[in-house]
Amino acid sequence: MSPQCDEARPICNRCKTSDVVCRGARTDSDWIFLDENQYAVGRRRPRGPNVKITSESHGENQRPESNKPKCNYKPSESNLLTAIPPAGALSLSILPSLDSVQDDQALAYYVRYHVEVPDTWPEIVDRWDNHLRHALADKSSSQPPSVLNLAISAVSYATFGRARKNFAAFDAGSAQYSKALAKVNLALSDAKEACQDEVLLAVMLLSFYENVVMGRTPNSEGHDIESIAARCFAHHEGAMAMLKLRRQQDQRTNRSNELDKLVRRQLMRTWLLRSMRPPSWFLDGSLFGERDSALQVDHCMIEATKLRHQARALSANRTAHATETECGEMARLQGIFAKAQTLDDVLIIWANQRPVGDRYSVHAVQEKERARTGDRIFDSTIHLYPTVGHAAMWNRYRTIRLIVNDIMLRILSSAASRLDSDTTSRTEAVSLTIRGLADELCASIPYSLGLVEAQRASGPDVAMIKNGPASLNMVVRASAASFLCWPLNEALMVSGVPRAHQRYIRDRMLDVSEIVDDGVMARVALDLDSMSN
């Protein structure tokens, strides 16, 4: 249970003593809190009443336009990132002194909620914590700050600012982001520097920064979600070019190989979201360190990426040109459908082969228990997993199957009149599969969000329902909730997911976006909400 906020400014003393993030006190109120000590030692006190500063004023806490950090980045053959302008300073109604936003406070928040994960999670789950901890160990001794230290500072300030609604932290993060981007561009002018681990990790952190500040900077306001996401994708495209360059190195450390594997996993999810086909050098997961069951799932993700790209490309060509004969088009559709069916069978076999230690249990929930969570439990069924990492593993499997069955359903819907007479029964079967996978995804979410836990007994585990807090930030860390980001985004793109499931997934996307401090995810959920209404 979190301590009651004592509303001390700028930092709640009770929350500071308890080492938790204060959600009660806000820094964007109508009051200005002055440090009287500075006037006691001789500084001249400003004349006039202590009133709210307007966005048009140019006080000492606002950065003049001419002093904004700038990045003169120009892409070239040796400079692999797509040019991204710095996020820019914020126009604020109140901007507390940066002295009130200590670097160690922002960093402590980021490490505690976004970096730390248990060691018991399965290998198939992405583990960035070891790389970030290694960088953090060198952070205090690195002078001048390295590109990775600047990227960590930018993300720390941004996540801290979004959680605490502290606009001075956003401004500090913007300055660190601009410095980091300038150093990345400088590093990419040299092939050897571009292959350094810290440069690649910095680029991935800068892509996350773009998601965090969405809706908190002038660059992100008033734009559609595609143009906003393009800023993050630009960093991913740069990381893709760097990854290819790194694969040409002869001597590589285990840490570098592990980092390449993590980056490739993230980029693969980006390719899937964008319905794009990855290049040939990217396809073989074994070359990037994937092994055993993780390699099997990796292969299925690659195949799903190729199938989605083929299906979307065929649909686009049919709409734009219609140059292919109907017979040829049907042959291609049937070929994609058959591959999708085979891939779905492979995924089912993978699930059936999981050892007992990886499996989950299913529990029924009474209505009164469900109400205790604030209706964050869908229907009346929940899952219990060995760890949150295992829940992430199973949701990765379900998400790939949802994508594959969505491909089949779209083919059946678009060519219903031209396929064989068994189309109706196959459509019903695929729709039923999608509904079942959506049921399982929804049943896994309460455990991933810390709303239920296994109560150990002499017999089978019993599900214990926790009282739903007003904010989930106090019960689940971003490092755990982040594993829901990709499955929830993909599930809302699947055509056959029932409306009730969509509403529940959209609401949980808003919960997760608050936990992981992801503005893009929140915008996607809100846009879907407005479209459904």
Side-chain angles (χ1 to χ4, degrees):
M1 180 178 295
S2 61
Q4 183 175 358
C5 177
D6 62 11
E7 299 186 356
R9 309 298 178 118
I11 301 171
C12 170
N13 293 318
R14 292 177 179 172
C15 291
K16 182 178 180 181
T17 302
S18 302
D19 193 26
V20 300
V21 175
C22 175
R23 305 273 171 182
R26 294 174 59 95
T27 60
D28 55 345
S29 64
D30 293 336
W31 298 95
I32 301 172
F33 297 91
L34 301 178
D35 182 5
E36 294 295 325
N37 293 328
Q38 58 186 322
Y39 307 122
V41 297
R43 181 176 177 180
R44 187 176 180 180
R45 185 186 300 276
R47 300 180 63 184
N50 180 11
V51 296
K52 184 175 181 178
I53 301 174
T54 64
S55 58
E56 290 75 25
S57 65
H58 297 282
E60 61 183 5
N61 286 330
Q62 288 183 301
R63 179 181 291 116
E65 183 72 22
S66 59
N67 292 332
K68 289 182 181 179
K70 296 182 179 179
C71 175
N72 298 319
Y73 173 74
K74 296 180 180 179
S76 63
E77 291 184 1
S78 61
N79 210 343
L80 304 174
L81 277 178
T82 303
I84 305 173
L90 302 175
S91 298
L92 307 174
S93 58
I94 288 181
L95 185 60
S97 170
L98 287 181
D99 291 341
S100 66
V101 188
Q102 299 297 326
D103 181 69
D104 56 349
Q105 287 181 304
L107 185 61
Y109 170 82
Y110 175 65
V111 170
R112 180 175 182 180
Y113 289 95
H114 288 264
V115 176
E116 295 178 353
V117 298
D119 294 329
T120 55
W121 289 3
E123 191 274 337
I124 195 174
V125 177
D126 299 355
R127 293 289 302 266
W128 295 91
D129 54 314
N130 291 331
H131 298 278
L132 290 171
R133 285 173 179 169
H134 181 75
L136 290 168
D138 299 332
K139 189 176 189 298
S140 59
S141 60
S142 178
Q143 292 296 334
S146 67
V147 60
L148 181 54
N149 288 342
L150 289 169
I152 291 174
S153 292
V155 173
S156 298
Y157 274 123
T159 54
F160 180 79
R162 195 173 189 98
R164 294 288 296 269
K165 299 179 174 62
N166 192 316
F167 295 112
F170 278 115
D171 195 54
S174 175
Q176 298 294 79
Y177 171 89
S178 297
K179 294 177 183 177
L181 187 60
K183 282 207 169 189
V184 167
N185 292 335
L186 182 62
L188 293 181
S189 63
D190 180 88
K192 184 177 180 180
E193 288 291 323
C195 290
Q196 296 295 319
D197 286 0
E198 71 166 19
V199 179
L200 179 58
L201 186 53
V203 169
M204 298 305 292
L205 286 172
L206 294 182
S207 70
F208 176 58
Y209 172 90
E210 295 287 358
N211 287 359
V212 176
V213 300
M214 190 273 150
R216 295 295 189 268
T217 66
N219 286 337
S220 65
E221 295 176 356
H223 296 289
D224 57 81
I225 192 64
E226 288 80 8
S227 60
I228 294 169
R231 294 176 62 87
C232 176
F233 291 154
H235 287 298
H236 285 182
E237 289 167 1
M240 191 79 171
M242 294 170 64
L243 193 61
K244 181 179 181 181
L245 194 61
R246 286 163 61 90
R247 301 312 299 173
Q248 300 171 9
Q249 291 181 308
D250 296 329
Q251 296 181 344
R252 299 173 50 78
T253 65
N254 291 335
R255 185 180 297 276
S256 296
N257 289 328
E258 182 67 20
L259 178 60
D260 286 356
K261 179 173 69 175
L262 294 176
V263 170
R264 178 178 173 274
R265 287 180 178 180
Q266 179 61 50
L267 296 179
M268 194 188 309
R269 289 189 282 270
T270 299
W271 287 105
L272 260 171
L273 282 169
R274 301 173 72 182
S275 300
M276 298 175 65
R277 180 187 176 93
S280 57
W281 62 267
F282 187 87
L283 301 180
D284 189 352
S286 64
L287 300 179
F288 292 85
E290 300 289 3
R291 296 289 182 270
D292 303 325
S293 64
L295 179 60
Q296 296 172 1
V297 174
D298 180 89
H299 174 74
C300 292
M301 282 193 71
I302 287 292
E303 291 302 312
T305 305
K306 293 192 291 187
L307 287 174
R308 176 180 272 184
H309 169 71
Q310 293 171 9
R312 296 288 173 88
L314 183 59
S315 176
N317 289 337
R318 183 173 64 247
T319 302
H321 306 293
T323 57
E324 191 171 20
T325 64
E326 182 174 347
C327 181
E329 179 186 338
M330 288 306 305
R332 292 184 61 186
L333 284 173
Q334 290 175 337
I336 295 173
F337 188 91
K339 290 179 180 178
Q341 275 187 316
T342 301
L343 181 55
D344 196 48
D345 292 339
V346 170
L347 285 162
I348 294 173
I349 294 173
W350 177 90
N352 291 334
Q353 291 176 342
R354 292 307 88 220
V356 175
D358 287 349
R359 297 185 179 275
Y360 58 91
S361 56
V362 181
H363 301 265
V365 178
Q366 300 296 324
E367 183 61 31
K368 63 178 182 179
E369 293 180 315
R370 179 170 172 264
R372 287 168 54 190
T373 67
D375 291 330
R376 289 191 173 103
I377 292 179
F378 181 79
D379 202 5
S380 59
T381 303
I382 58 172
H383 292 173
L384 292 180
Y385 296 84
T387 66
V388 173
H390 287 84
M393 176 188 74
W394 282 102
N395 282 336
R396 185 179 179 187
Y397 151 80
R398 295 175 185 121
T399 304
I400 301 173
R401 286 197 66 198
L402 280 171
I403 293 170
V404 172
N405 280 272
D406 180 55
I407 293 171
M408 290 192 284
L409 186 61
R410 290 178 185 272
I411 290 175
L412 291 169
S413 300
S414 64
S417 61
R418 294 173 289 173
L419 293 175
D420 55 62
S421 58
D422 198 31
T423 300
T424 301
S425 61
R426 286 199 287 180
T427 301
E428 292 176 352
V430 172
S431 298
L432 188 61
T433 298
I434 291 176
R435 183 186 181 93
L437 291 168
D439 280 336
E440 292 180 4
L441 175 61
C442 292
S444 75
I445 293 175
Y447 180 85
S448 299
L449 294 182
L451 297 172
V452 299
E453 64 181 5
Q455 189 174 32
R456 305 297 177 183
S458 57
D461 293 344
V462 178
M464 184 175 72
I465 311 298
K466 300 180 182 179
N467 290 324
S471 175
L472 290 172
N473 299 65
M474 306 308 297
V475 297
V476 61
R477 294 180 178 180
S479 54
S482 63
F483 293 124
L484 285 172
C485 294
W486 181 66
L488 297 183
N489 272 290
E490 285 286 359
L492 287 181
M493 296 173 59
V494 174
S495 57
V497 173
R499 181 63 61 88
H501 296 70
Q502 287 182 338
R503 287 195 296 267
Y504 175 78
I505 292 172
R506 180 199 63 215
D507 291 343
R508 300 295 74 78
M509 278 184 68
L510 289 172
D511 287 336
V512 172
S513 69
E514 181 185 354
I515 298 169
V516 303
D517 303 308
D518 192 323
V520 172
M521 191 173 186
R523 173 68 179 272
V524 170
L526 291 173
D527 283 357
L528 288 169
D529 189 22
S530 61
M531 286 189 294
S532 62
N533 292 333

